[in-house]
Amino acid sequence: MKFQTVRGTKDILPAEIYKWQHIERTVRSVCERFGYTEIRTPVFEETALFARGIGETTDVVGKEMFSFNPSMEGDAMDSITLRPEMTASVMRAYLQHSLQTLAPLTKVYYFAEMFRKERPQAGRQRQFWQFGCECLGSTAAVSDAEVIAVMSLIYRELGITSATMKLNSLGNLETRKTYRVALQDYFRPHFEKLDAVSKERFDKNPLRILDSKNQSLAEIISDAPRLVDFLDDDSKKHFETLQSHLTNLGIAFELDFKLVRGLDYYSRTAFELVSTDLGAQDALGGGGRYDGLSTALGSESEVPAIGFASGVERLLMVMEKQNLFDHLKPQPPVLFIAALGEAAVKVAMTEAYKLRAKGVRCEMDLLGRSLKSQMREANRSGATYTVVLGDDELEKGIVQLRKMSDATQTQIALNEIIDKIQVGK
RNA sequence: GCGCCCGUAGCUCAAUUGGUUAGAGCACGCGACUGUGACUCGCGAGGUUACGGGUUCGAUGCCCGCCGGGCGCCCCA
C-alpha cells in the first residue's frame, strides 16, 4: 500500500459515521436550544493570532502549531497556522465584525477540526475534532453557569454518566500574581524534594506543580496554599454565585483547587470534565472565562467571555466503552428490488426512483448479479421487503413482495408497491 | 520532542531454538439450490510477512534505518 493517512490523522469510515452524526446532531440540538448559533471560521489564521491569543509561552504555540509560509507573491501571508483551537478565532471574528454592535451578547457554537503537532497517542491526534461554545459579552456568573450547563446537557443526552466536572476559580491577574509568589514561598523549602519537571515549573509556572502526576509529591502538594483563599472579593462572590447556580441545576461538580489552566488571559472560572474511561489523556473537555483575551488581541475594550471545548474522539472512546452506540444502528432500506435482465433493471430503476422521490429508502443491485446474490444483498442490507422483478413480472405487471423477516410473499401490482410498504412499515 | 513496547491476508491471530510451496477463523465472491436471503457444506480470491538495507547457505523471527501504532512523560481535547 503506497499511500496512507499521515501520522496522527484518521479516516472516519462509512461504517462508523453514524456515531459521529449522532454526536454532532446532539451537540447542535442542545446548543441551539440554549440559543447558541453556529459559527464557522477559516481553518487557518495568521500565526500571530494564536501566538498572542493563546500565549507565546504555551506548548501549543511553542511547539505544537502547524505553521507554514505559502510564499505567495504579492500576498502578505508571511506565516499562517492551522487552528489549534477555536477560541482565538471566535474572538477575532467577534472583533473584526464588531458583533457587539448587533447585540450586547453573542452566543456561538462550533463543531470543527483542530490541528496540533504532537506525538500521537490514544485520545490524541494531530487532526482532531472539537465542539464547544463561547458566550461573549457578559461578566455575570449566570453566563458561566449557562456554558457549563450546555456542556453538561450534551453529555447527559449522549448518555455519559461517569464523568466528573472539576471546578475552580483563578481569580484575576492580581490574584494569580500574589498566589504565584505564595506558592513559590511554600515550595522553596521543599525544592530539593521536587522532581525535575516540577523544579523547572518552579520558576516558569509554579501553579503547574500542583498538576504533577508524581505520587511522591502528593503530600507536599496537598498542603500547599489554595488559590481560593487568595481570591479577591468580586471573584469570590462570582465563584459562589456560579456554584449555587450549578447546584440549583443539579449539575454535580467537584471543587479542585489544583485545576489551573495555563493561559495568561484566563480569569476566574476554570473547569474540566474528566473520565476514568480514558487513558492518560483523561480530559473530555474543559473551558473557562477569558476576560483578558480581547485586549490581548489588541481590542481597546475588554470583552468578557466564557466558553468550553470538548474533544470528539475522546468522547467517542468513552461512548464506545460504555456501549452507548448500540441502539443507533443506521436505518436499513425499506425495499430492495431484485431485477433480472436488462428490461427489468430499467423498470426497477424507474420504480426505485419514484419511491425514493416519495421519501422511501429503496435499493437495487448495480452489479448485474444473479438472483441468489441479489437476495443475499437484500438480506445483508436489512431491507424489510424485497421485490423480485423478472420477465414474467414485467409481462403481467405483477410482482412478488417478499417480507424478509418471515419469508412470506404476496402478489401485488407493480404500481401498488408504495401503498403496501407504507402500510406495512 | 523523550522513554518503553509493537507491526504476518480487509479483521483477529498461527508458523518447532533462523529451515524449504507463510496457515486458520471471521468477512468477501461463486456454487450445491438452472428465478428466492439467513443455517449447512464445498470451492475460490486475497500476502513484496509495513517499507529499505545488513548478517546468513537460508530471515516473518537476528541487527540498523525508516514509516505507522500502543503505553507513559511533557501538554492538552
Side-chain angles (χ1 to χ4, degrees), chain A residues 46-338:
Chain A
E46 281 179 58
T47 299
L49 171 68
F50 299 121
R52 267 179 240 155
I54 301 171
E56 310 272 5
T57 61
T58 60
D59 280 22
V60 171
V61 170
K63 58 180 194 191
E64 297 170 5
M65 294 209 294
F66 277 105
S67 299
F68 53 101
N69 181 351
S71 302
M72 296 185 60
E73 265 178 67
D75 242 315
M77 291 208 282
D78 279 349
S79 176
I80 59 181
T81 294
L82 299 179
R83 61 179 171 220
E85 56 121 57
M86 199 65 177
T87 306
S89 297
V90 169
M91 184 58 85
R92 195 225 78 235
Y94 179 92
L95 297 172
Q96 178 177 340
H97 303 286
S98 300
L99 298 185
Q100 78 282 355
T101 63
L102 299 180
L105 198 65
T106 298
K107 305 205 295 185
V108 295
Y109 78 88
Y110 58 87
F111 194 102
E113 59 281 73
M114 307 296 156
F115 306 84
R116 289 184 200 175
K117 208 167 54 190
E118 293 188 276
R119 173 90 179 254
Q121 151 180 358
R124 174 187 283 168
Q125 294 166 210
R126 290 184 169 184
Q127 181 189 135
F128 60 99
W129 289 77
Q130 282 188 337
F131 62 82
C133 72
E134 313 284 353
C135 176
L136 303 95
S138 172
T139 56
V142 68
S143 65
D144 300 54
E146 181 174 276
V147 164
I148 293 175
V150 172
M151 185 175 176
S152 169
L153 189 57
I154 289 170
Y155 284 100
R156 191 174 110 185
E157 294 198 356
L158 288 172
I160 305 282
T161 51
S162 64
T164 306
M165 178 75 74
K166 292 183 177 176
L167 188 66
N168 195 18
S169 176
L170 306 175
N172 57 28
L173 207 55
E174 277 308 306
T175 308
R176 263 169 299 145
K177 271 186 192 157
T178 321
Y179 179 59
R180 187 192 159 103
V181 173
L183 262 190
Q184 285 174 327
D185 289 344
Y186 169 78
F187 280 119
R188 194 165 288 117
H190 301 288
F191 189 80
E192 285 312 315
K193 285 179 243 166
L194 299 179
D195 55 35
V197 175
S198 297
K199 279 177 180 165
E200 201 178 310
R201 286 166 168 172
F202 183 86
D203 290 314
K204 233 169 80 183
N205 191 350
L207 276 67
R208 285 240 151 253
I209 299 178
L210 302 175
D211 245 2
S212 175
K213 286 173 186 166
N214 190 336
Q215 275 304 310
S216 61
L217 298 180
E219 202 174 320
I220 300 176
I221 288 171
S222 67
D223 288 339
R226 295 169 174 237
L227 182 48
V228 245
D229 300 325
F230 289 74
L231 293 182
D232 56 285
D233 290 346
D234 285 349
S235 292
K236 203 178 287 178
K237 179 90 190 298
H238 186 276
F239 194 30
E240 283 162 4
T241 309
L242 169 59
Q243 291 179 52
S244 80
H245 279 308
L246 294 179
T247 305
N248 283 342
L249 292 172
I251 295 173
F253 60 89
E254 249 175 41
L255 293 183
D256 182 357
F257 76 98
K258 299 196 297 294
L259 177 64
V260 289
R261 302 182 72 79
L263 317 190
D264 288 346
Y265 58 74
Y266 271 121
S267 54
R268 296 185 176 170
T269 312
F271 56 94
E272 193 168 281
L273 192 72
V274 298
S275 169
T276 50
D277 285 329
L278 292 168
Q281 313 307 324
D282 66 350
L284 271 170
R289 176 162 280 284
Y290 49 96
D291 294 348
L293 177 58
S294 61
T295 49
L297 294 182
S299 166
E300 286 177 15
S301 57
E302 185 172 283
V303 180
I306 178 149
F308 80 86
S310 267
V312 180
E313 285 83 359
R314 292 186 188 174
L315 172 58
L316 213 87
M317 285 169 71
V318 172
M319 291 182 69
E320 209 93 65
K321 208 156 179 179
Q322 299 182 0
N323 303 316
L324 295 175
F325 293 116
D326 288 359
H327 311 291
L328 291 166
K329 294 290 180 207
Q331 287 293 305
V334 178
L335 180 69
F336 188 97
I337 303 179

